[in-house]
Amino acid sequence: MKILNLSKFSCLSLLLVVVISCKKPVNITGEISGASEVCYLEQGVEYSIEPSSAPDYILWVVPEQAEIISGQGTARIKVNFGRKAGNVCVKFYKDDQEVIVPCFEVKFDRSGQWCRELDFPTGTRSNAFCFSIGSKGYIGMGISTTTLQETDFWEFDPVEKVWTQKSVFPGLPRIAGVGFSIGSKGYVGTGQASNGVGPESIYKDFWEYDPVLNQWSRKEDFIGLNRQYAFGFSIGNKGYIGGGNTSLLGNVKDFYEYDPANGQWVKKDSFPEFRNGAASFAIGNKAYVGTGGIGSLYFSDFYEFDPNDASKGFDTNNNPLGKWSQKAQFPGSVRGFGVGFSLGNYGYMGLGAKTGGTDVYYNDFWKYTPDSGPGHWDSLPPLDRARGFGVGFSIANKGYIGIGNKGIAPTDQFKDFWVYTQ
């Protein structure tokens, strides 16, 4: 306690005594521990702190839309996360003084793990098409909850965690079509009416989607035979479709390139095998295709396509036909109707089914690393439920897969949607 010298104050203050009381600073430290990466909407995530000395009270602050379900006021809490990640922070209170501890940053998506995202908005869906453009993903058509073919089309924003309906696909409803993107546009073609019979129910029309205008426009038809369950991908500024099943010849292996600059298709080096329901992805200036089947026979072979290889000759535009080369066999069981995508210098492939007779469905997933030789595969965590006929695409360093089915019963149809962070 300190008594002030009153002689320094005016006569109006002669009777004033000012007393200043000083509290000893509180010295409490600690560091928050817990998961720095969580899944979107993950429940029951624990965070804790060990104070260097006992505070009177501990106050936790969590990201917007997250909820502390237990432990507020103590050294350990459980949190249910919402639609936003952010910082977990804590404050100590001792003798009416406040001490703020450095916050702990929490991000959505666990590296090397699958996290469930926002489900597909209209319910279950299978045999749809998909592609990604820039920072958004797109899914449309296929068979819905009501087992009807659809023409709806949806955009997924992985930052805002929201689905937005876009312009309806103007072509005939279908399943088993091919989708890919080239630059700032998306492309969709081929496929089949889900309950159709005969050549007229299998398609070869080809469409372009402009996300800026939210508009579809029809392009030159695919020049191969009408087909379903073909494989497709893009490399640079060109798109490719090949293989699949036709009504006239059954399974085929012919392969074609589309150039959006002139709107034309040209035939390229055929895929090495007749194939239906193969999975594919592109890495840099090469593409990779594997698995698939012929009737009730399924395979695990895997091939690389180099569009700049001229050893097979030249196409009608005097460009290289490209060349297919066999690479390290897919290490999972033989199958078709799986999904594939690429992240950086790696490819990812998995899920799928064997149909005909006793159907079998898979939930395993694998990472492919290309090299100067055959490349190699590494196993990844499996998805929670086996399925075929789903979709897969990538945005930045994240891969997205989902929907699909593992049979025809209502409980075997899926609407869930998952993200894998490299």
Side-chain angles (χ1 to χ4, degrees), residues 180-200:
F180 53 76
S181 63
I182 304 173
S184 62
K185 306 288 177 62
Y187 296 88
V188 173
T190 68
Q192 180 198 22
S194 63
N195 298 314
V197 177
E200 69 281 355

Side-chain angles (χ1 to χ4, degrees), residues 73-151:
T74 73
R76 183 179 298 274
I77 60 170
K78 284 187 177 182
V79 179
N80 287 348
F81 280 90
R83 294 168 59 89
K84 296 184 179 181
N87 290 329
V88 172
C89 304
V90 68
K91 299 176 183 178
F92 297 138
Y93 290 89
K94 182 74 172 180
D95 297 331
D96 297 327
Q97 295 188 62
E98 178 184 87
V99 177
I100 301 175
V101 174
C103 293
F104 185 83
E105 184 180 10
V106 180
K107 298 179 179 179
F108 276 154
D109 306 331
R110 292 177 173 174
S111 299
Q113 300 290 326
W114 292 104
C115 281
R116 189 166 180 171
E117 291 283 87
L118 192 64
D119 288 352
F120 189 65
T122 65
T124 63
R125 185 69 57 97
S126 63
N127 287 278
F129 71 80
C130 72
F131 51 77
S132 61
I133 302 174
S135 62
K136 307 290 177 60
Y138 298 87
I139 297 176
M141 291 188 280
I143 303 176
S144 71
T145 305
T146 58
T147 68
L148 295 175
Q149 301 165 83
E150 302 290 349
T151 57

